[in-house]
Amino acid sequence: MTPTIVLPVVIAGLYAAGVYLLLDRSLTRVLLGFLLLGNATNVLVLSASGPAGEAPLVGHAGSGEMSDPLPQALILTAIVITFGVSAFLLAVIHRSWRLVRQEVVHTDEEDRRVAARTPRHADAMDPDDIDPVDLAPGDRAAVVGRPTDVEERLAQRYPDTASDDVGLPPTRGRTT
Amino acid sequence: MRVLAPLPVLVPLLGAALSLLLSRFPRAQRLISIAAIGGVLGVAVALLVLADASGAVAVPVGDWPVPQAIMLVVDRLSALMIAVASTVGLGVLLFAVGQGVADGPRSSPVSVFHPTFLVLMAGVGFAFLAGDLFNLYVGFEVLLTASYVLLTLGGSAPRIRGGITYIVVSLMSSLLFLAAIGLIYAATGTVNMAQLALRLGDLPDGTRLLLHGMLLVAFGIKAAIFPLSAWLPDSYPTAPAPVTAVFAGLLTKVGVYAIIRTQTLLFPGGALDTVLMWAALATMLVGILGAIAQTDLRRMLSFTLVSHIGYMIFGIALSTPAGLAGAVFYVVHHIVIQAALFLVAGLVERQGGSTTVARLGGLATASPVLAVLYLVPALNLAGIPPLSGFLGKLGLLQAGVAAGGALPLALVAAGVVTSLITLVAVSRVWSRAFWRPPQQAEHLETPADAAADSGPDVGDAADGTGTDGTATGGGDGPRGSSRSGLGTTRRGDRDAAWARQVALATGGEDAELPADPDSLDQRERMPRGLVGATAGLVAVSVALTFLAGPLYALTDRAAVDLLNRTPYVEAVYGDGGPASSAEDVP
């Protein structure tokens, strides 16, 4: 059998697109990038089994004509792991959205602290000590308020906006 | 021994299932967790004694024929690692239980803590026992998935922020590892490590180097070696104290363990030793320079964690029996010491209401026990004679000098410098947080402080005066009470500590109202469970000093086994060794 060029091209394309998405600041894109990379790796493992053959069932084909079953077993395990982890990552992203109404990677605390080392802030090393005014707008909510504070304030500001948690009980701000 | 080998994986997994079923009964959960981890500790000690006495043993799961079966391999190294891991796991678990008891059921971690912790320990055990690369990957995934849950426990904003970094970086390293497994399988047709040890040598040099490099990068991310370590100090400090302790103690060391296997069993001959030595040099220096710039105790400890990984990589990269023995000894020492220090940081947070060193003061007066608990492991970390840190570093430095050459000698010098700067970093924390009078603690008065952040300085003021907390607390009372509703929290424990402090402060403001006797009591005397668990780990770390002789002898034998490779391969293939290709093993 001749080696196929389709698999390497697919693997390369998936890796390229996955890395591109992974470098984005939006967490949903990061998740999509991770899924693409996971699939690229699965196809890579699949291509490790060599040329395609008959289904690896005893009695169905001669041992020389079977395709190698081990990489398929490995891929199945890897798919299950990827599936579970992406579900968890999705939950974390949703939680991040609920907390700060942002689903982007946050500014690094360390960078900001170094940048904030003016004499007035010379000893403001704890993220909690930093003046919220000095922060990037997207990071303020995370530092200023607890989750409930954010939700309450948002509920006051946008009373008509529906909660993004479909099916969950309404947040405290709206019931009181 | 064949019966005992799967138990370090099975017992925690069954315990996790059971404790998930009993999630409504916290007391039963605690008992199950403690029994499971205690049982693993017993099994691990038995395995260690047996493996040391009678050599490595491999168990094919399900009794399949050997190269096809999933193998669990117990040799001196893996048995030693499991024994140390379960010791630390038990200490941390007792700390977590003590914390749950002390803070009451409302603020204790959700019922998912115990099952997840057990799954984590099962994953760690599986990674140490796995006899093939793919099951090593599965072990990694099991422990990582459990660690994602533990790190984002409670789902507060800082934990989510740190957790996302951690999760994405870990996923990348896992994907890289999986891709490497796929390529290794394509090149050799097996993922069994003993079989790989025989077959990888036949590959062309370029292919071998590529596979070797991919594995090292994947494990290097997990072990937090310098260019791949930036994720660690950002994510670890946000987690609850016991979680950070078990992460810092165990998870990076699983990566180090995988690197040891890669360098000795799979790719002997030290093809990438020079690269590893440069990485070790950079890890030590960059890590410790990062540590000295920190003013938060936990972040400082996270950076020293990264820095001291460099010592282990140094020992591994030497590829000599002395170097490997030193590295394994250092791994054992560092697992215990780093977990103990993070538990102490949890106690400091509880006592002082903050881990920001600028806000702490007078802790030595307020709690002499805590001061001793910090000082002993801190000096041990810095390598003060005669503690085990000194012995580990001495062994590594001697191995480096014996190896000779410019780069090993540069690493020896860097090791000494790192040790000195570690001493500076930990003693700075000591002199500020513990030794200086509380009045000198710097209090911040920024607009942020006034607007949003009130708890810690109230806590400090009340706490710094030690026994007479109510009087000073009264002075701060109005400020504290007016702002207490807006208090920003980074961590649940800290929130609880603040709540107590604020209650004290407001109680002291009104002279007629007696302060809540319970909260006063809690503030002055830390719960015995927490102190006991921490003291236990500190005692283990001191005991390592006294047991250093036998332990070093053991790691010496383990290192000889590792470099020899035949014990591992023969254990997998049975006594006769691989019939076809026995001559391949050097």
Side-chain angles (χ1 to χ4, degrees), chain A residues 98 101 147-148 150-152 154-155 163-165 168-176:
Chain A
R98 282 193 63 194
R101 303 283 146 163
T148 48
V150 176
E151 298 224 335
E152 276 165 19
L154 283 167
S163 166
D164 59 336
D165 298 312
L168 291 179
T171 48
R172 207 193 304 165
R174 260 151 287 177
T175 50
T176 52

Side-chain angles (χ1 to χ4, degrees), chain A residues 63-151:
Chain A
S63 61
E65 299 157 5
M66 287 182 190
S67 58
D68 189 350
L70 185 68
Q72 300 176 16
L74 303 188
I75 293 169
L76 276 180
T77 316
I79 287 175
V80 173
I81 292 172
T82 314
F83 171 70
V85 172
S86 11
F88 184 77
L89 198 55
L90 202 56
V92 170
I93 292 171
H94 180 246
R95 179 73 187 159
S96 171
W97 165 253
R98 282 193 63 194
L99 286 174
V100 293
R101 303 283 146 163
Q102 291 261 323
E103 47 100 45
V104 297
V105 177
H106 300 282
T107 310
D108 186 33
E109 294 290 342
E110 193 76 34
D111 290 353
R112 198 184 306 130
R113 250 174 275 169
V114 172
R117 272 191 160 180
T118 57
R120 194 170 71 92
H121 295 99
D123 43 6
M125 293 298 285
D126 195 271
D128 291 348
D129 303 340
I130 296 171
D131 188 342
V133 181
D134 292 344
L135 302 186
D139 295 305
R140 278 181 201 158
V143 177
V144 172
R146 296 182 213 222
T148 48
D149 297 341
V150 176
E151 298 224 335

Side-chain angles (χ1 to χ4, degrees), chain A residues 15 22 27 30 33-34 37-39 41-42 44-45 47-49 68-71 73-75 77-78 81-82 84-85 88-89 91-93 95-96 99-100 104-110 112-113 117 120-121 123-132 139 141-147 149, chain B residues 134 137-138 141 145 148-149 152 154-158 160-161 163-165 167-168 171-172 175-176 178-183 185-186 189-191 214 234 293-296 299 303 354-356 358-359 442-444 446-449 451-453 484-491 494-495 498:
Chain A
Y15 267 124
L22 199 73
L27 288 173
V30 170
F34 163 66
L37 287 180
N39 283 328
T41 310
N42 288 338
L44 177 73
V45 178
S47 73
S49 65
D68 189 350
L70 185 68
L74 303 188
I75 293 169
T77 316
I81 292 172
T82 314
V85 172
F88 184 77
L89 198 55
V92 170
I93 292 171
R95 179 73 187 159
S96 171
L99 286 174
V100 293
V104 297
V105 177
H106 300 282
T107 310
D108 186 33
E109 294 290 342
E110 193 76 34
R112 198 184 306 130
R113 250 174 275 169
R117 272 191 160 180
R120 194 170 71 92
H121 295 99
D123 43 6
M125 293 298 285
D126 195 271
D128 291 348
D129 303 340
I130 296 171
D131 188 342
D139 295 305
V143 177
V144 172
R146 296 182 213 222
D149 297 341
Chain B
F134 192 76
Y137 166 77
V138 173
E141 284 304 309
T145 311
Y148 303 153
V149 178
T152 52
S156 62
I160 294 289
R161 190 168 44 205
I164 283 177
T165 316
I167 294 172
V168 172
L171 287 178
M172 283 314 103
L175 282 181
L176 199 58
L178 187 61
I181 291 174
L183 293 178
Y185 185 77
T190 181
V191 288
M214 281 183 83
D234 269 347
Q294 302 302 315
T295 57
D296 184 274
R299 282 187 71 91
F303 272 99
S354 170
T355 50
T356 305
R359 289 174 165 170
E442 298 127 39
H443 292 267
L444 297 163
T446 61
D449 204 23
D453 194 4
S484 60
L486 290 166
T488 310
T489 56
R490 283 181 72 202
R491 307 170 194 102
R494 183 157 150 183
D495 197 10
W498 286 4

Side-chain angles (χ1 to χ4, degrees), chain B residues 89-106:
Chain B
L90 191 62
V92 169
L93 184 66
L94 291 176
F95 186 94
V97 166
Q99 202 177 36
V101 170
D103 289 340
R106 244 192 329 156

Side-chain angles (χ1 to χ4, degrees), chain B residues 102-126:
Chain B
D103 289 340
R106 244 192 329 156
S107 59
S108 75
V110 251
S111 63
V112 83
F113 174 82
H114 286 281
T116 318
F117 188 82
L118 287 175
V119 171
L120 179 84
M121 294 307 291
V124 170
F126 195 33

Side-chain angles (χ1 to χ4, degrees), chain B residues 152-231:
Chain B
T152 52
L153 211 61
S156 62
R159 280 186 197 162
I160 294 289
R161 190 168 44 205
I164 283 177
T165 316
Y166 175 74
I167 294 172
V168 172
V169 172
S170 303
L171 287 178
M172 283 314 103
S173 84
S174 298
L175 282 181
L176 199 58
F177 185 18
L178 187 61
I181 291 174
L183 293 178
I184 286 177
Y185 185 77
T188 62
T190 181
V191 288
N192 184 313
M193 288 208 261
Q195 212 171 2
L196 280 177
L198 305 177
R199 290 192 187 173
L200 278 172
D202 302 337
L203 293 180
D205 280 350
T207 316
R208 224 156 59 106
L209 197 65
L210 173 80
L211 300 175
H212 191 177
M214 281 183 83
L215 282 185
L216 279 190
V217 172
F219 297 146
I221 295 175
K222 291 179 206 294
I225 299 175
F226 162 60
L228 312 167
S229 66
W231 56 272

